[in-house]
């Protein structure tokens, strides 16, 4: 049985780092002031241990699969979560559409910025670094670890873009760090200037330390199934597991039926690769959730329990992503990676805050939340929102539920049909499509932005 322990102990290593992050956050004031999540703290510690040889026999590559699958599970679980009440559907839809259009614009903007930075870097230094490695930044920043790994794997295996997987992991990790190091001070500044709507917002001791007092501990969800039958958490995991299984079988069936089909020299099965499990899994979960709602069975999904699964997946994804970084590659390409990442972060921030000025309500909340979503994940965007709106009294948290579905459809032409085969396409064509997407998005953002 000894050979079965490697993956399990790797998982134990990850969650131990999160535990260490919780303890340090509760004790160190600097970490509290920065509001760094335990998973980010633990991931950095794990990365340092791996880089210095104190690795318990593990390598950074042992955590790549965890980052990919927990990213995918977090979004599939999020889609399975039902709608929340408390706000008019039209109000939530308008704000959610503003966030969704902004995210789609960020997706193409960051790719163009990354391309430009690498081209300039090569011209100045004489390097021959692939320009596609610069465009990969958007899949690490705007999409997160799972898609950075997915696109990196496709580009590396199908189109021989060397080190694409490692670059994707690094971009995703830097994105999380930028999200909190830039987003938290921005949120604190908004509170200090009274720019946020929730005037009662305050960073109390519980929020800073990251641990609830005994008397204030909230419920983790309602029990759907009787414990004499099956634990309710296992039941919810079963629903998510069913969706995962159905997505896998669907992809295998399509891959078999389309094997060898390659119009214009592009294998169609690439679009149904397991590397794109995220997109297909979301579609399967959308259908599954719709069927449950139509059949009157939605009460079998407890939203609070489903949120715990989503939140846990995000934490595990974050720590795994940072622990997946190869130290040697990071040091070798530190300058171009940082140049791409910082340029993408700067222009993304400018886009979010400049366009938020057209909003009639909640401009700061929406801008900072969108910045978090475009440099980390929906979870990090929600955490930045909680700095300004701790009890989530504004509509923005509910708008994120709409946002998570809408972005899939608004960006489908990029995520499904261009990004997977981008290295096989003309850069002129790609830049034209991306620029057109940004321009159309900007026009739509202006006319569709909620004014009240």
């Amino acid at each position: 049985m000894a050979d079965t322990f490697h993956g399990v102990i790797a998982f134990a290593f990850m969650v131990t780092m999160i535990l260490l992050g919780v303890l340090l956050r509760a004790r160190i004031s600097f970490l509290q002031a920065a509001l760094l999540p335990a998973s980010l703290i633990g991931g950095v510690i794990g990365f340092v241990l791996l880089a210095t040889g104190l690795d318990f026999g593990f390598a950074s590559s042992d955590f790549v699969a965890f980052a990919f699958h927990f990213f995918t599970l977090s979004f599939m679980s999020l889609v399975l979560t039902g709608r929340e009440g408390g706000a008019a559907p039209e109000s939530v839809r308008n704000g959610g559409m503003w966030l969704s259009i902004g995210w789609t614009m960020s997706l193409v903007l960051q790719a163009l910025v990354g391309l430009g930075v690498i081209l300039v870097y090569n011209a100045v230094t004489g390097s021959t670094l692939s320009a596609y490695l610069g465009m990969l930044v958007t899949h690490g920043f705007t999409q997160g670890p799972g898609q950075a790994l997915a696109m990196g794997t496709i580009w590396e295996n199908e189109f021989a873009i060397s080190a694409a997987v490692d670059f994707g992991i690094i971009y995703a990790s830097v994105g999380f760090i930028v999200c909190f190091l830039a987003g938290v001070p921005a949120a604190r500044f908004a509170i200090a200037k009274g720019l946020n709507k929730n005037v009662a917002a305050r960073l109390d001791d519980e929020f800073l330390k990251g641990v609830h007092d005994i008397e204030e501990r909230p419920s983790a969800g309602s029990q759907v199934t009787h414990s004499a039958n099956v634990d309710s958490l296992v039941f919810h995991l079963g629903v998510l597991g069913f969706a995962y299984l159905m997505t896998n079988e669907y992809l295998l069936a399509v891959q078999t039926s389309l094997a060898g089909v390659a119009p214009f020299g592009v294998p169609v099965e690439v679009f149904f690769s397991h590397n794109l499990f995220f997109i297909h899994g979301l579609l399967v979960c959308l259908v599954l959730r719709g069927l449950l709602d139509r059949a009157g069975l939605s009460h079998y999904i407890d939203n609070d329990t489903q949120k715990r699964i989503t939140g846990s997946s995000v934490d595990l994804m974050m720590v795994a992503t940072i622990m997946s970084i190869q130290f040697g590659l990071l040091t070798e390409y530190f300058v171009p990676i940082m140049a791409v990442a910082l340029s993408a972060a700067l222009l993304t921030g400018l886009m979010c805050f400049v366009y938020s000025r057209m909003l009639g309500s909640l401009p700061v909340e929406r801008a900072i939340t969108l910045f978090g979503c475009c440099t980390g994940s929906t979870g990090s965007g929600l955490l930045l929102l909680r700095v300004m709106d701790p009890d989530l009294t504004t509509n923005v948290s509910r708008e994120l539920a709409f946002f998570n579905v809408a972005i899939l459809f608004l960006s489908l032409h990029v995520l499904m049909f261009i990004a997977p085969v981008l290295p096989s396409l003309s850069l002129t064509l790609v830049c034209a499509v991306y620029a057109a997407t940004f321009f159309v998005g900007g026009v739509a953002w202006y006319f569709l932005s909620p004014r009240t």
Side-chain angles (χ1 to χ4, degrees), residues 250-331:
Y250 148 67
L251 287 177
L252 289 175
V254 174
Q255 288 168 13
T256 300
S257 63
L258 295 178
V261 179
F264 307 107
V266 178
V268 175
E269 59 186 302
V270 169
F271 299 106
F272 297 91
S273 161
H274 276 68
N275 292 311
L276 298 179
F277 201 99
F278 158 74
I279 296 175
H280 298 286
L282 283 186
L283 293 173
V284 168
C285 285
L286 278 173
V287 173
L288 178 58
R289 182 69 211 195
L291 291 174
L292 290 173
D293 290 341
R294 280 186 171 273
L297 300 175
S298 57
H299 60 279
Y300 283 107
I301 302 293
D302 175 63
N303 281 353
D304 287 336
T305 302
Q306 203 67 53
K307 289 175 184 176
R308 300 290 78 74
I309 296 173
T310 302
S312 298
S313 298
V314 170
D315 286 331
L316 290 164
M317 168 198 69
M318 191 179 297
V319 71
T321 300
I322 298 174
M323 291 176 68
S324 299
I325 296 175
Q326 285 197 27
F327 180 73
L329 186 136
L330 175 62
T331 55

Side-chain angles (χ1 to χ4, degrees), residues 94-325:
N94 291 342
M97 184 58 71
W98 187 88
L99 293 171
S100 303
I101 294 172
W103 187 92
T104 304
M105 291 173 64
S106 173
L107 180 70
V108 294
L109 173 66
Q110 290 176 357
L112 293 174
V113 170
L115 171 65
V117 170
I118 293 298
L119 291 177
V120 171
Y121 174 80
N122 286 344
V124 171
T125 64
S127 174
T128 57
L129 198 62
S130 172
Y132 298 113
L133 294 176
M135 302 189 80
L136 193 60
V137 68
T138 193
H139 301 294
F141 267 47
T142 298
Q143 288 194 277
Q147 283 301 91
L149 283 168
M151 295 304 170
T153 301
I154 294 174
W155 292 6
E156 191 167 322
N157 294 342
E158 300 290 336
F159 306 108
I161 306 300
S162 179
V165 171
D166 294 315
F167 267 72
I169 291 172
I170 294 172
Y171 285 140
S173 301
V174 174
F176 282 124
I177 295 171
V178 166
C179 170
F180 292 106
L181 292 186
V184 170
R188 284 179 171 273
F189 176 82
I191 294 175
K193 296 296 183 180
L195 301 176
N196 59 314
K197 183 176 180 180
N198 188 348
V199 294
R202 59 188 179 87
L203 304 180
D204 57 23
D205 196 50
E206 278 187 308
F207 195 88
L208 291 173
K209 290 185 176 180
V211 179
H212 287 292
D213 293 332
I214 295 177
E215 300 81 6
E216 302 294 334
R217 290 177 181 173
S219 170
S222 300
Q223 298 286 316
V224 172
T225 55
H226 197 287
S227 59
N229 179 28
V230 64
D231 187 84
S232 186
L233 177 60
V234 173
F235 171 79
H236 285 79
L237 289 172
V239 175
L240 182 58
F242 173 74
Y244 221 72
L245 179 63
M246 289 300 98
T247 305
N248 180 64
E249 293 304 311
Y250 148 67
L251 287 177
L252 289 175
V254 174
Q255 288 168 13
T256 300
S257 63
L258 295 178
V261 179
F264 307 107
V266 178
V268 175
E269 59 186 302
V270 169
F271 299 106
F272 297 91
S273 161
H274 276 68
N275 292 311
L276 298 179
F277 201 99
F278 158 74
I279 296 175
H280 298 286
L282 283 186
L283 293 173
V284 168
C285 285
L286 278 173
V287 173
L288 178 58
R289 182 69 211 195
L291 291 174
L292 290 173
D293 290 341
R294 280 186 171 273
L297 300 175
S298 57
H299 60 279
Y300 283 107
I301 302 293
D302 175 63
N303 281 353
D304 287 336
T305 302
Q306 203 67 53
K307 289 175 184 176
R308 300 290 78 74
I309 296 173
T310 302
S312 298
S313 298
V314 170
D315 286 331
L316 290 164
M317 168 198 69
M318 191 179 297
V319 71
T321 300
I322 298 174
M323 291 176 68
S324 299
I325 296 175

Side-chain angles (χ1 to χ4, degrees), residues 330-354:
L330 175 62
T331 55
E332 182 179 357
Y333 295 106
F334 182 81
V335 173
I337 287 173
M338 288 300 106
V340 169
L342 294 178
S343 298
L346 177 62
L347 289 179
T348 301
L350 286 173
M351 182 194 74
C352 293
F353 288 100
V354 168

Side-chain angles (χ1 to χ4, degrees), residues 5 36-37 89 151 257 411:
F5 276 78
L36 296 179
M151 295 304 170
S257 63
S411 60

